Amino acid sequence: VCVAGYGQSDGNEILQLIPPPTLLTKETQGLCPERDFKVECGGFSERPVYSLKYVPDTSLLVTSGPPDSSLQVWQVSAENSDVIKSVSTIATENGTGQSWAKTATISARAPWVLHGSRLDRVQITEVESRKNVYTAASRGSEELSNLAFLDCNTLLLCCATGRLCLADTRQPQSLVEAASVPSAPCSEQWCMGTRHAAQGLEPSSQPVARLSSRGLLTLTDLRKTSELLALAKARVPSPGSEFLCISWAPALEGYLAISGFDGTVHVYDTQSWDSSGREAEPIFVHKGHAFGGAGGSGDPPLVTVHTWHLQKPRTLLSAASDGSLHVWDWVQPCGKC
């Protein structure tokens, strides 16, 4: 597990942690004496780390953060050392003055990183050679909130306004827009979550979830982009932060989690959702960070990111603004067992 800091100082840590033994076993175990993560190697970033992505099938990490849209490439445990070493920088054309870049990685053909801060500045760069292999053509310059590889040829771009666009690396001049989100105030921000495609299924058959800073949730089938599959409303205490996060469970059909509103993570079963837009009831709420104490600013901790364990169906990891990292399971409510 890799984590990083996002403070404004030049001493933000990047750490690779070894999970506790209970998280590494395939079978569910009882109480385990070792419950803490251990630092395997680490380094320091001179800039805040807002995005941290592992490059599959390599020992490389790619990070991004203010003050511009450039990327930093890191080598983990270089030459059998315990240091995460900065190895290169991927500069972007006209990147100065742009917001930090959103990123996604893949290694289908070669180690690639998809990156960009605005819709008209999306590109794919080969990580090791820093060669540009694709640039998306768009007349819009909306700010991006997420990027994703659906496969080695198909890209999905989500703007902060909620606009979804499909792109194909084989057709650089073509961007296809998906169903729009419900009309909302200009200040509302959106993010998206895509599912890991199950074996034998086309990536486009996996629904895309979008989450707004007001707690609106939409599901979209990319094979029929003209309409929404479902619309729901999450019960949130206040508008979401810049750390909005929504993710699909990779090993459970129809389950997703959201965070970024406070110190909690909410888990939902979407299988009963429809297009009514009614309030959705979470089937589980993780409150561990909220009770962990105040953050460095004295404010209650805010969950900054969460992710699902790839093999353990009901296990999630979440991190918060107070530097806490939690691994937790949730239990299926009685009556739905």
Side-chain angles (χ1 to χ4, degrees), residues 217 232-235 266 268-269 273 277-283:
L217 293 149
K233 177 75 168 65
R235 187 186 305 157
H266 292 212
Y268 291 90
D269 179 358
W273 289 6
R278 68 175 184 265
E279 186 171 275
E281 190 71 28
I283 60 172

Side-chain angles (χ1 to χ4, degrees), residues 7 37 49 60 99 104 114 134 179 188 194 205 212 226 269 278 316:
F37 287 83
V49 178
L60 300 175
S99 59
L114 170 66
Y134 168 83
E188 188 166 17
T194 57
S205 69
S212 84
S226 59
D269 179 358
R278 68 175 184 265
L316 291 93

Side-chain angles (χ1 to χ4, degrees), residues 332-337:
Q332 185 80 13
C334 292
K336 290 189 178 182
C337 298

Side-chain angles (χ1 to χ4, degrees), residues 32 39 43 72 76 97 110 142 149 174 210 233 245:
C32 182
V39 177
Q72 290 68 51
V76 178
E142 297 169 65
F149 282 103
S174 174
R210 280 175 283 182
K233 177 75 168 65
C245 184

Side-chain angles (χ1 to χ4, degrees), residues 1 18-38 309-317 325-329:
V1 179
I18 301 175
T22 185
L23 199 63
L24 298 175
T25 59
K26 292 185 178 180
E27 300 82 14
T28 301
Q29 291 184 329
L31 291 176
C32 182
E34 289 288 337
R35 299 181 61 194
D36 294 331
F37 287 83
K38 293 182 179 179
H309 194 289
L310 292 178
Q311 287 83 36
K312 295 178 183 289
R314 292 182 172 85
T315 299
L316 291 93
L317 292 84
L325 174 64
H326 291 182
V327 183
W328 46 278
D329 290 328

Side-chain angles (χ1 to χ4, degrees), residues 179-182 216-220 226-233 270-280:
S180 60
V181 294
L216 285 177
L217 293 149
T218 70
L219 304 183
T220 304
S226 59
E227 60 186 53
L228 296 175
L229 275 178
L231 174 65
K233 177 75 168 65
T270 69
Q271 295 176 83
S272 63
W273 289 6
D274 54 29
S275 57
S276 66
R278 68 175 184 265
E279 186 171 275

Side-chain angles (χ1 to χ4, degrees), residues 44-294:
F44 290 94
S45 171
E46 295 181 354
R47 60 170 68 201
V49 178
Y50 279 37
S51 174
L52 168 65
K53 295 291 169 62
Y54 164 67
V55 183
D57 304 323
T58 72
S59 59
L60 300 175
L61 300 173
V62 175
T63 64
S64 66
D68 55 38
S69 59
S70 65
L71 309 180
Q72 290 68 51
V73 182
W74 305 80
Q75 176 83 46
V76 178
S77 298
E79 300 174 356
N80 297 320
S81 74
D82 59 358
V83 175
I84 296 179
K85 179 183 178 183
S86 176
V87 292
S88 65
T89 297
I90 298 175
T92 53
E93 186 178 355
N94 299 323
T96 304
Q98 297 290 326
S99 59
W100 61 279
K102 284 62 177 183
T103 60
T105 55
I106 196 172
S107 286
R109 297 172 180 166
W112 283 358
V113 58
L114 170 66
H115 57 104
S117 60
R118 295 191 173 274
L119 194 58
D120 57 351
R121 300 191 182 280
V122 175
Q123 60 189 73
I124 296 175
T125 302
E126 195 171 284
V127 176
E128 293 171 319
S129 67
R130 287 176 283 172
K131 176 185 176 182
N132 177 268
V133 295
Y134 168 83
T135 300
S138 173
R139 296 176 182 175
S141 59
E142 297 169 65
E143 183 178 350
L144 292 169
S145 60
N146 299 89
L147 304 168
F149 282 103
L150 297 180
D151 57 35
C152 61
N153 293 313
T154 314
L155 320 173
L156 187 61
L157 319 175
C158 180
C159 299
T161 58
R163 181 183 176 193
L164 275 184
C165 292
L166 276 166
D168 193 313
T169 59
R170 297 161 296 189
Q171 299 174 340
Q173 303 304 314
S174 174
L175 277 182
V176 178
E177 185 169 348
S180 60
V181 294
S183 58
C186 296
S187 59
E188 188 166 17
Q189 302 289 303
W190 289 80
C191 68
M192 74 169 179
T194 57
R195 284 194 63 183
H196 294 269
Q199 192 168 6
L201 290 179
E202 289 295 323
S204 60
S205 69
Q206 306 298 310
V208 176
R210 280 175 283 182
L211 169 67
S212 84
S213 53
R214 288 193 301 138
L216 285 177
L217 293 149
T218 70
L219 304 183
T220 304
D221 187 337
L222 295 179
R223 296 169 301 180
K224 193 174 182 181
T225 59
S226 59
E227 60 186 53
L228 296 175
L229 275 178
L231 174 65
K233 177 75 168 65
R235 187 186 305 157
V236 296
S238 59
S241 68
E242 61 184 327
F243 297 110
L244 280 181
C245 184
I246 182 169
S247 62
W248 285 102
L252 284 175
E253 185 68 30
Y255 288 81
L256 57 77
I258 68 170
S259 63
F261 297 91
D262 54 14
T264 64
V265 182
H266 292 212
V267 178
Y268 291 90
D269 179 358
T270 69
Q271 295 176 83
S272 63
W273 289 6
D274 54 29
S275 57
S276 66
R278 68 175 184 265
E279 186 171 275
E281 190 71 28
I283 60 172
F284 186 84
V285 179
H286 175 65
K287 300 179 180 179
H289 295 286
F291 296 119

